[in-house]
Amino acid sequence: MVVLDTIWPADSIEFCPHESASDIFVCGTYRLEHSPADTQVHTDDNKVDFEPTARKQSQVRRGKCLVLQVTEDRGVSQIQEISLPAVLDQKWCHTSRTASSVLGIADSEGNVTLHEWHKEESVSCATSDVLCLSLDWSTRRYPTNNHGSLVVSLSNGSLCVLNPDSTGHLTIVNRWHAHDYEPWIAAWNYWDTSIVYSGGDDLTMKGWDVRQNFIQPIFTNKRFNAGVTTIQSHPHIEYLIAVGSYDNSPLVPLVQGDVGGGAWRVKWHPSPSRKEDLLVASMHDGFKVARAHNGEHATWEVVKRFDDHKSLAYGADWSFAPPGVDGKTLIGSCSFYDHMLHLWSG
């Protein structure tokens, strides 16, 4: 097992899905700096410093994207450090074997930056006082030779969709007000990329058809008792979605499971052979691998826990590399206040 101090509070981990770079992963950090004249600012322990209403002019959100490589002995070496406004979410675009790896980063000053080796592009999605809270690429199920579409959620309650133009650069094609409070998450339906899902602090999950106007969603799910924080369409099972909220329960249409401290991120296993396995960052209760058995009698069980983190469990991802000799998949996880990164297997 590998342990790394990220120096600044860490909130996201993403492994590169590209076959030629499956040993590469990134860790995003988020540091809120106060001037000496600042008075104390109250923040909810669940939301840490992501709460935009806590911001004053004398506070600055800074971040870094740490680009890391898994060594042959499953150690870690850092190969690059990118300075940015605070990083709230990151996603690799799933591209074809002949295309380059592209990383999208959502930051605290309304920007999405796209990173390839020796190349960077920035797209402003909002003014600098608005946070980009999450982003997702449309190409998970159907990789392409170029950029796919990107959906971004913003702290002012809006969502926006970006498409590549004729030159390959991403431009905003739609922006609309989606939630009355922060939409913590936006995600594509990987099987039907005309559909976008969103979830927010208004205790709702919504679906949107990007081919229609955005006066109203195509559905609204109000069955949550707390803010919706994470959504992921299943890459191998159509019509199956994992949804998590502050009230401890990742939710799929057939089964509900309690994961302890609230679910900040959920990730389906990338391999079809383990399509029932779900990685959960459980905020106040560590990290877990859960198994959702579908069928006539759907069941839910936690098959592995990882409790070595001593702070809020925020970032987690499966490696896309082949499993180890023990048949287990490499997992990366990171936590906030203790700014720690761990590699483990599950």
Side-chain angles (χ1 to χ4, degrees), residues 294-316:
N294 300 316
E296 184 178 353
H297 302 290
T299 61
W300 166 278
E301 61 175 327
V302 174
V303 296
K304 178 156 187 173
R305 294 181 58 104
F306 187 80
D307 296 320
D308 287 15
H309 290 270
K310 306 305 179 186
S311 179
L312 286 168
Y314 270 153

Side-chain angles (χ1 to χ4, degrees), residues 250-272:
L251 184 74
V252 295
L254 303 178
V255 63
Q256 179 170 321
D258 190 330
V259 296
W264 185 253
R265 285 292 179 264
V266 291
K267 301 281 185 71
W268 292 109
H269 196 286
S271 171

Side-chain angles (χ1 to χ4, degrees), residues 9-65:
D11 59 24
S12 67
I13 281 187
E14 295 288 328
F15 279 92
C16 182
H18 204 280
E19 188 175 311
S20 64
S22 61
D23 57 341
I24 301 297
F25 69 105
V26 291
C27 177
T29 65
Y30 182 120
R31 177 186 173 98
L32 183 64
E33 297 182 349
H34 304 263
S35 75
D38 270 351
T39 56
Q40 184 175 3
V41 177
H42 171 75
T43 56
D44 186 319
D45 283 343
N46 277 345
K47 301 175 188 174
V48 206
D49 294 315
F50 291 174
E51 178 60 63
T53 56
R55 182 175 185 175
K56 292 185 176 182
Q57 291 301 315
S58 53
Q59 295 177 343
V60 178
R61 294 180 173 91
R62 301 190 189 281
K64 294 179 180 178
C65 170

